[in-house]
Amino acid sequence: MAGSPLPTHCRDPRQAGRKLRPLYGQPDPRCTARRSEGVLAPRLHIRGGVPSSSGPRERSGAAAAGGPDADHRGARRAFRSCALEGTPGARLDAALLALLVGCGLRRSEAVALDLAHYDVEEQTLRVRRGKGQRERLVPIVNGQQAALESWLEVRGSEGGSLLCPVSKSGRIDLRRMTSQAVYMRLAKRAEKAGTPTFSPHDLRRTFISSLLDRGADISAVQHLAGHANVATTTRYDRRGEQAKRKAAELLQVPFIAFPQSANE
């Protein structure tokens, strides 16, 4: 028993003999047998059925460091890193970044896209795997479209998944990426760019908040983000009291002053 390799999920002696639900079920007896060996590993949490080394609701590095503005600066550095590298993998990362921070897609929506969902002439993406399976059309313009077109130059025009895995050697595998692969690619790109790690939702939050900051109609932002209720979109509105005052000053009430009476 002592010579058996210690399972990855039991390398923290504080977790020895403890159930890790729902991924593992019952504790491995080797954990109890080697409780005192003291080999540490990150504690695992389950997020969407996938093991993660961070807490259940822990914010990623960019979000914790400075919110949506920090995430956007991180995205800029990541785009610059992609441009300097210029490999098929870098083009994939740039397209992925563009879909998340420039179109506000959820990671599940991004990996569910097929090439047929991209309408070049209309400059739209047909998003079909949103929450509640609601379908929506998302405009893809400016740098977002340029990044996607750059990726398609190396991906090719064969049907299937829009975003595909790329090996370290640059080989493109025309199959669908997983949602976990999105996290991994963003983490590696952030490391290459020398910026704190940002998650797919950090970029989506940046998309929504930035549009609201620039005065976009909240109903339009709601539909772009695929929110069923505008109240959800409102939670991303980070404009302060000064912005509210400026908005209130846009409306002029046609009040006419009363004439002063003779007794006054």
Side-chain angles (χ1 to χ4, degrees):
M1 182 71 71
S4 302
L6 186 64
T8 301
H9 66 280
C10 293
R11 289 179 181 171
D12 187 340
R14 292 169 297 179
Q15 304 302 312
R18 183 179 298 179
K19 293 182 181 180
L20 294 180
R21 300 187 182 93
L23 186 61
Y24 295 111
Q26 299 300 322
D28 193 295
R30 288 171 291 178
C31 299
T32 305
R34 299 179 64 182
R35 179 188 298 263
S36 61
E37 294 194 8
V39 184
L40 299 179
R43 181 177 179 179
L44 293 177
H45 295 271
I46 307 304
R47 180 183 296 160
V50 180
S52 169
S53 59
S54 60
R57 290 192 177 271
E58 187 173 308
R59 301 176 69 190
S60 65
D69 283 332
D71 301 340
H72 196 273
R73 289 194 296 272
R76 285 183 181 276
R77 290 193 288 270
F79 276 121
R80 188 178 299 112
S81 169
C82 292
L84 291 172
E85 187 175 314
T87 62
R91 294 188 184 213
L92 170 61
D93 289 349
L96 182 59
L97 284 164
L99 292 176
L100 298 175
V101 78
C103 298
L105 300 192
R106 302 175 177 93
R107 61 189 173 109
S108 60
E109 296 171 340
V111 299
L113 288 171
D114 288 336
L115 182 62
H117 297 154
Y118 173 42
D119 191 323
V120 181
E121 294 183 359
E122 296 295 328
Q123 295 181 299
T124 57
L125 284 171
R126 186 172 296 276
V127 181
R128 293 187 169 184
R129 292 286 295 275
K131 281 192 175 180
Q133 301 298 311
R134 292 183 295 273
E135 181 178 305
R136 70 185 188 277
L137 281 179
V138 176
I140 180 163
V141 295
N142 305 326
Q144 302 94 300
Q145 187 177 30
L148 184 57
E149 290 288 346
S150 178
W151 157 243
L152 292 178
E153 287 177 8
V154 295
R155 180 207 177 277
S157 58
E158 186 175 341
S161 181
L162 182 65
L163 302 176
C164 310
V166 178
S167 69
K168 291 182 179 179
S169 64
R171 185 179 64 85
I172 299 172
D173 189 356
L174 291 178
R175 60 181 173 86
R176 198 168 303 282
M177 287 178 64
T178 65
S179 293
Q180 184 65 11
V182 173
Y183 268 114
M184 294 172 63
R185 293 205 70 91
L186 289 182
K188 289 180 180 178
R189 181 54 56 186
E191 182 180 1
K192 289 180 179 180
T195 186
T197 304
F198 44 79
S199 73
H201 190 72
D202 291 335
L203 299 178
R204 174 173 161 83
R205 184 178 61 249
T206 296
F207 168 79
I208 299 170
S209 297
S210 296
L211 287 178
L212 293 174
D213 285 351
R214 287 160 174 76
D217 178 73
I218 195 167
S219 178
V221 177
Q222 173 197 353
H223 292 297
L224 286 172
H227 289 154
N229 194 315
V230 72
T232 305
T233 314
T234 304
R235 292 204 296 267
Y236 293 82
D237 194 346
R238 58 189 181 184
R239 292 170 291 186
E241 293 302 319
Q242 185 176 2
K244 293 177 184 179
R245 179 173 294 277
K246 287 183 178 179
E249 289 173 351
L250 295 175
L251 184 62
Q252 297 294 331
V253 175
F255 170 73
I256 300 175
F258 294 102
Q260 292 185 346
S261 65
N263 296 330
E264 293 182 0

